[in-house]
Amino acid sequence: MLFSHLSIFAGNYLAIKEPVLISNPLDKIHFFCSKPGTVVVKDGINREYLRLKAKSDIYITVAGSLGVHKVLLINRKGTVIDSLVFQVKATTDVDDGGRIAEMFNLIKDGLTDSSKELQQVEWNGKIYRFFVPWMLDNNNTEKGMKYFSPKGGDMVDLFRQTQKDNGMIWSFVNPYKSAGDYYETAYKPINFFRRDSTVWFARQPVENHVEYNYVNLMYQYWKASGNTAWMKTNLESAKRALDYSVTDSVRWSKRFKLLKRPYCIDSWDFQVDDKYTPTTLVSPTMVIVPGKTKYGVFFGDNTGYYDACLQLAEMYDFVGQNNNATILRNRAANIFKQLVSIAWNGKYFTHFIDEDTTVIRDLGVDEKSQIAQGNMYAINRGISHDMSVKIIETYLKLKENLPIGSPGEWYSIYPPFEKGFESHNKKWQYMNGGVAGHAAGELARGAYENGYEQYGTDILVRLFELAKKNGGQIGFSYTGSIPLLPAVCNYKQIDISGIANMSIDGEASGNVFSWMNGKLAGNDLHELPIGKQKFQEIPFNIPDRKKNQNKVAVALSEDSVFPRKTEILINDTAVTVYLLNTTNGKNGGVAGIVTLLYTDKTHYSQALITGKELTGWWLPEINNEFASVAWSGKNQYCARIGVCRTAIINPSPSKKISKLIFQASPDGGIYALLGVTLADKTPYRKPDLVSFGGPSNWASATSMAALVEGLAGVKDDGLAFSTVKLSPRWPTSNTDSVNVTIHYPASNGYITYKYRHYPDRKNIKITVTGSGETVDAHLLLPAGVNKVSSVCSDIQDIPFEMIKNEKSNYVDFKLLLSAEQTVTVKYD
């Protein structure tokens, strides 16, 4: 049935001319009416939004709250003589018919992948669903997912019920089937692990952001759902969580009167590995040691906490608990004032300040010059406009001075650390100088809000272009610097045929040792190309079996008939020595040892570790800066066999190498060498564009928040869009026509508008409706326009005010949402 027809009297006086299953806000519906009277249309909460005289053809524009809309035909006596209903639904969408629609859909697809949305655990007989099992990640992902999913409150409910007595909130939850043995071993002794019958919880010991993220998530879901009764059940838990952060000796700095943590990169959960890091039995960079761990202030913990205090204060005020609200606002003000006094350098927040003044770290970088990604988040945490502008200008300056091959200025930290974090990630990757796709959306959102609208759109466009290079997915982190292809490298291939002693056939004729002493015909490398070959752009000269009596490889071993040692004359310089080699030794063991003997009698030796410098020939798997599978094929016993390219970096490239000396593995097994090539450059391996780290849906979420609140300009200033600040900034994207709907599935709150710009007429027309009551319009004018002559609807002039934000001009006016509103802004 396309619609329900509720006829009160026998006559059918009303009908939908062209019936549809479901209508959308601002759709036009054509009705037929065969009886005189008055037609009244009411929305999903029975609010009248249209009244007009009945006639044979009636056109209405759908407006008001979602749900079942009623069309009533009323006679002169005020009696309803006929009625019908139709369904109105809305889904979040931004559609300009072109590039913006493509951008929106790409971000949405990266955000709403069902495999990410449907994560769940069962606890106490109830299923709890969330987007990411980590509080930090889930809260940030909610920034975008609240427009597409109603499930934002489940993690708050679960973590409220499992909150520790001291107020601490867990970092993450996992189902029991995910064993968690490491966490139990490392974290349980310091009371940061809990195992229940169906799930286990852990708190990353160094993290001091979990409690404010808990309050953030609670606040976000309350705003989206409009469920004040639910919010009230969480108030006491939220207060205890924030109290924990400022009272627990592990979290609160008595010296600075600020939140503290061990030395981490920004807000991450691993700490520095230097002379100040206490020794522990398990994971010294992940745990804390009472009385020994060194602490300090990371500014992002404190800007986040400041923001959460204000959010909780707003919730307290909403339910009439004004005293609690005042306490939190005063606490927030004191923390922010203290933070600014020690961490604000006039341009951005300094990354980390040690509590202990005797601590002098050697991390290979001027720490005071580093800008950390928390600054991008800070812009949206209630700091002043002037401070936000200084941070934005810092990133704009960085944009003009990027490292080679950088995909953007949105660094996790810049410059990266040279020392101290090698065990967790290399320079230019992830948190150590990776480009934070998950933070770029935060910078864009802040840019839109603070008068840098063109920069906000520029960031979104660049994220969009990066995503198209990555299969349509915005990366959580990108490689921070990708070196250019080096100058032409000169190679010299060394002839090893004179010392070759092993066939690459499983069963070789004559006195030639068969491949790896194998006895199975065909279980070998007989398909390997021989002679002059090029593997991964490196040329090798593999001995020709036909010209070398079937001897192709140089084999060494402690435990077989092969020799234990061999030498190759070089008498030349080299920056890099490339080896084409493999082994049948065990993974992690020493496959062999290579020594560079220089003509001055000095030497350099390097062990060849299986799994690091080379790989076995059956099912080879290796890919790092210095080693990779050079050639792969198959034989009748194995679907994939191969040999490895190993790069030995010469520490003394100016010295002439007299000879290379190869020694067999002391661990047993056979080491096989099939080629040696000298090069006058270090190896070049182009890093992947996308780095590693956190969930990509987090990156999509902050980008979606920037698109919705920044570019589309829809910001919820009430509850479930009861009041909307509408700030469309389409002039920055050269978009003159776009349809926007922003919807909360948790409450069915929404706003829909159509934006049309007519440059030739010098006017902008906006048609808007929604579930709420009022719209505070804050309309960005095209570049160069600084005067508005009128703002008017179809029936009246609307008072307006010109507002300047940095160099941008806005026109402000108010609208009621009792019905569809169409407003024309005329500018000079």
Side-chain angles (χ1 to χ4, degrees):
M1 179 178 289
L2 297 181
F3 60 91
S4 299
H5 189 184
L6 306 178
S7 179
I8 296 176
F9 296 101
N12 291 327
Y13 307 124
L14 283 172
I16 296 179
K17 190 89 170 185
E18 298 172 356
V20 291
L21 181 61
I22 296 173
S23 294
N24 301 302
L26 297 185
D27 278 355
K28 289 192 180 297
I29 301 182
H30 186 187
F31 289 92
F32 173 77
C33 183
S34 61
K35 193 80 171 177
T38 301
V39 172
V40 174
V41 187
K42 295 186 177 183
D43 67 10
I45 58 173
N46 210 36
R47 181 174 54 175
E48 181 180 319
Y49 66 89
L50 186 64
R51 179 180 288 261
L52 71 166
K53 185 178 180 180
K55 53 185 177 180
S56 59
D57 288 294
I58 299 172
Y59 295 87
I60 73 164
T61 300
V62 177
S65 294
L66 305 178
V68 176
H69 284 218
K70 300 176 183 177
V71 182
L72 308 175
L73 178 59
I74 303 172
N75 65 16
R76 292 178 183 178
K77 297 179 181 180
T79 302
V80 176
I81 60 173
D82 203 0
S83 65
L84 58 80
V85 299
F86 61 94
Q87 187 77 18
V88 179
K89 293 188 177 181
T91 56
T92 297
D93 190 37
V94 180
D95 186 6
D96 69 335
R99 185 180 67 163
I100 299 300
E102 185 183 357
M103 177 192 295
F104 169 82
N105 286 317
L106 179 145
I107 296 173
K108 177 185 174 183
D109 289 346
L111 177 65
T112 59
D113 184 318
S114 61
S115 66
K116 299 182 179 114
E117 185 181 348
L118 296 178
Q119 296 192 44
Q120 64 182 47
V121 296
E122 181 181 352
W123 184 80
N124 270 8
K126 182 179 177 181
I127 299 296
Y128 296 86
R129 294 182 174 85
F130 34 75
F131 315 121
V132 190
W134 292 72
M135 178 58 70
L136 170 68
D137 307 42
N138 194 63
N139 173 49
N140 280 285
T141 303
E142 171 73 357
K143 292 174 181 177
M145 281 303 302
K146 62 188 176 186
Y147 303 118
F148 303 96
S149 172
K151 293 297 180 183
D154 279 22
M155 181 170 276
V156 174
D157 289 335
L158 175 62
F159 281 49
R160 180 191 70 245
Q161 296 172 86
T162 55
Q163 183 176 19
K164 290 189 70 173
D165 291 341
N166 64 358
M168 191 198 82
I169 301 294
W170 300 104
S171 292
F172 63 93
V173 60
N174 264 311
Y176 187 82
K177 62 184 178 182
S178 177
D181 296 338
Y182 157 74
Y183 295 98
E184 189 161 15
T185 302
Y187 296 175
K188 190 173 182 178
I190 51 178
N191 300 313
F192 291 138
F193 181 87
R194 168 179 171 171
R195 188 184 292 279
D196 290 348
S197 60
T198 55
V199 298
W200 55 270
F201 301 85
R203 172 62 178 257
Q204 293 295 90
V206 304
E207 288 182 347
N208 203 358
H209 58 241
V210 184
E211 284 69 35
Y212 81 71
N213 275 277
Y214 174 66
V215 175
N216 289 164
L217 183 59
M218 172 184 164
Y219 178 80
Q220 282 201 84
Y221 184 68
W222 171 59
K223 295 277 284 185
S225 68
N227 190 340
T228 298
W230 175 87
M231 178 266 282
K232 289 173 70 173
T233 66
N234 292 292
L235 283 174
E236 179 59 29
S237 171
K239 180 180 181 298
R240 289 199 298 118
L242 292 187
D243 287 349
Y244 164 77
S245 300
V246 298
T247 56
D248 192 274
S249 61
V250 173
R251 307 299 176 201
W252 181 246
S253 170
K254 290 184 178 179
R255 178 192 169 195
F256 288 125
K257 301 295 188 292
L258 292 166
L259 277 68
K260 69 179 184 180
R261 67 160 64 206
Y263 197 123
C264 305
I265 301 180
D266 202 86
S267 190
W268 247 242
D269 56 4
F270 51 83
Q271 60 186 306
V272 68
D273 186 6
D274 68 359
K275 64 183 179 181
Y276 300 106
T277 307
T279 301
T280 60
L281 292 175
V282 183
S283 301
T285 61
M286 302 298 287
V287 299
I288 53 178
V289 181
K292 294 183 178 180
T293 295
K294 297 291 186 181
Y295 290 92
V297 169
F298 161 57
F299 74 90
D301 290 336
N302 292 277
T303 59
Y305 186 87
Y306 166 77
D307 188 38
C309 283
L310 298 181
Q311 290 173 342
L312 186 53
E314 181 184 334
M315 290 186 276
Y316 271 127
D317 273 340
F318 195 89
V319 298
Q321 297 186 35
N322 307 110
N323 289 338
N324 282 333
T326 299
I327 290 170
L328 285 163
R329 287 196 174 92
N330 289 338
R331 183 189 299 177
N334 291 334
I335 282 179
F336 193 73
K337 181 180 179 181
Q338 182 66 7
L339 177 67
V340 170
S341 71
I342 71 164
W344 179 253
N345 65 17
K347 296 181 179 179
Y348 53 88
F349 289 102
T350 301
H351 175 228
F352 191 88
I353 300 167
D354 276 295
E355 270 193 314
D356 186 345
T357 58
T358 67
V359 170
I360 301 175
R361 300 187 186 274
D362 178 19
L363 303 178
V365 65
D366 176 11
E367 298 166 63
K368 299 301 182 186
S369 72
Q370 290 177 298
I371 180 167
Q373 68 181 29
N375 281 281
M376 291 184 270
Y377 285 85
I379 299 172
N380 300 306
R381 290 175 174 171
I383 69 173
S384 72
H385 171 74
D386 289 344
M387 295 174 82
S388 296
V389 166
K390 293 292 186 182
I391 293 172
I392 293 167
E393 288 286 350
T394 296
Y395 280 99
L396 280 168
K397 184 177 180 180
L398 179 56
K399 181 187 175 187
E400 300 305 316
N401 298 276
L402 292 174
I404 296 172
S406 169
E409 65 275 16
W410 323 299
Y411 280 92
S412 53
I413 196 161
Y414 182 86
F417 294 97
E418 299 288 343
K419 305 175 185 178
F421 293 95
E422 297 89 338
S423 61
H424 288 282
N425 57 275
K426 296 180 181 179
K427 179 180 176 182
W428 301 124
Q429 300 297 328
Y430 188 28
M431 291 304 297
N432 190 21
V435 170
H438 65 90
E442 290 288 313
L443 180 58
R445 185 156 60 102
Y448 282 120
E449 195 69 23
N450 287 282
Y452 288 76
E453 298 86 357
Q454 197 67 54
Y455 183 39
T457 298
D458 168 64
I459 292 171
L460 284 181
V461 169
R462 285 186 286 143
L463 285 170
F464 175 49
E465 295 300 326
L466 284 170
K468 289 195 291 186
K469 295 178 182 178
N470 183 38
Q473 181 74 65
I474 296 175
F476 179 86
S477 179
Y478 295 92
T479 299
S481 179
I482 300 177
L484 299 174
L485 186 68
V488 175
C489 184
N490 296 305
Y491 298 100
K492 179 180 178 181
Q493 300 159 69
I494 305 299
D495 183 4
I496 65 169
S497 59
I499 58 171
N501 59 5
M502 181 170 64
S503 168
I504 58 172
D505 296 331
E507 290 185 348
S509 58
N511 295 321
V512 180
F513 296 118
S514 64
W515 174 250
M516 295 294 180
N517 277 343
K519 302 301 180 183
L520 295 174
N523 186 27
D524 50 38
L525 289 180
H526 66 269
E527 289 190 359
L528 174 72
I530 57 176
K532 292 185 177 181
Q533 303 292 333
K534 184 178 284 189
F535 300 124
Q536 296 186 337
E537 302 303 315
I538 310 298
F540 289 99
N541 188 5
I542 303 170
D544 188 333
R545 71 183 91 186
K546 294 180 180 178
K547 298 178 180 179
N548 204 45
Q549 299 179 331
N550 213 29
K551 294 179 289 186
V552 177
V554 179
L556 302 174
S557 178
E558 290 275 357
D559 300 331
S560 76
V561 292
F562 296 114
R564 297 178 178 179
K565 183 177 180 179
T566 193
E567 299 179 352
I568 302 173
L569 295 177
I570 300 297
N571 197 33
D572 206 343
T573 59
V575 174
T576 305
V577 177
Y578 287 101
L579 309 176
L580 189 68
N581 53 182
T582 190
T583 181
N584 66 355
K586 62 183 179 181
N587 195 50
V590 177
I593 301 170
V594 59
T595 298
L596 282 64
L597 181 64
Y598 304 107
T599 54
D600 66 358
K601 306 303 181 182
T602 61
H603 71 276
Y604 166 74
S605 296
Q606 181 172 325
L608 302 174
I609 308 297
T610 305
K612 182 179 178 183
E613 278 80 24
L614 79 168
T615 182
W617 67 282
W618 257 52
L619 303 174
E621 289 286 352
I622 195 165
N623 187 21
N624 59 50
E625 188 175 354
F626 304 109
S628 59
V629 177
W631 171 87
S632 63
K634 62 181 180 179
N635 64 36
Q636 67 189 80
Y637 297 96
C638 185
R640 183 165 46 83
I641 55 175
V643 292
C644 182
R645 184 264 316 159
T646 301
I648 306 296
I649 307 301
N650 183 2
S652 304
S654 61
K655 291 184 179 182
K656 184 176 284 188
I657 302 170
S658 171
K659 61 178 70 173
L660 296 177
I661 302 171
F662 291 86
Q663 293 173 263
S665 165
D667 298 338
I670 299 172
Y671 171 74
L673 179 69
L674 297 105
V676 175
T677 297
L678 310 181
D680 64 356
K681 302 286 189 306
T682 55
Y684 176 78
R685 179 178 181 268
K686 186 176 181 180
D688 293 333
L689 172 65
V690 178
S691 185
F692 57 91
S696 57
N697 53 344
W698 173 348
S700 295
T702 55
S703 298
M704 180 61 74
L707 197 160
V708 169
E709 291 192 14
L711 183 55
V714 175
K715 189 173 183 180
D716 188 357
D717 269 1
L719 202 60
F721 290 135
S722 59
T723 299
V724 177
K725 183 177 181 181
L726 182 59
S727 310
R729 299 178 174 100
W730 298 112
T732 64
S733 64
N734 298 316
T735 303
D736 290 332
S737 177
V738 60
N739 298 335
V740 174
T741 295
I742 308 300
H743 172 245
Y744 287 145
S747 62
N748 257 343
Y750 83 98
I751 182 170
T752 290
Y753 73 85
K754 295 181 178 181
Y755 175 96
R756 302 292 185 265
H757 179 210
Y758 304 98
D760 55 333
R761 304 179 201 170
K762 295 185 179 179
N763 71 50
I764 298 169
K765 180 179 285 190
I766 293 184
T767 301
V768 59
T769 190
S771 58
E773 299 169 1
T774 59
V775 167
D776 292 324
H778 181 62
L779 183 69
L780 178 66
L781 297 170
V785 175
N786 54 27
K787 184 178 180 181
V788 167
S789 57
S790 67
V791 177
C792 58
S793 68
D794 294 337
I795 59 174
Q796 64 181 354
D797 289 340
I798 298 173
F800 67 90
E801 182 181 5
M802 295 294 297
I803 300 293
K804 198 170 189 66
N805 189 2
E806 294 300 311
K807 297 179 181 180
S808 303
N809 292 311
Y810 286 82
V811 57
D812 284 18
F813 52 92
K814 292 184 179 292
L815 297 174
L816 296 177
L817 280 179
S818 57
E820 167 219 350
Q821 295 275 0
T822 298
V823 176
T824 300
V825 175
K826 295 181 180 180
Y827 59 82
D828 295 336

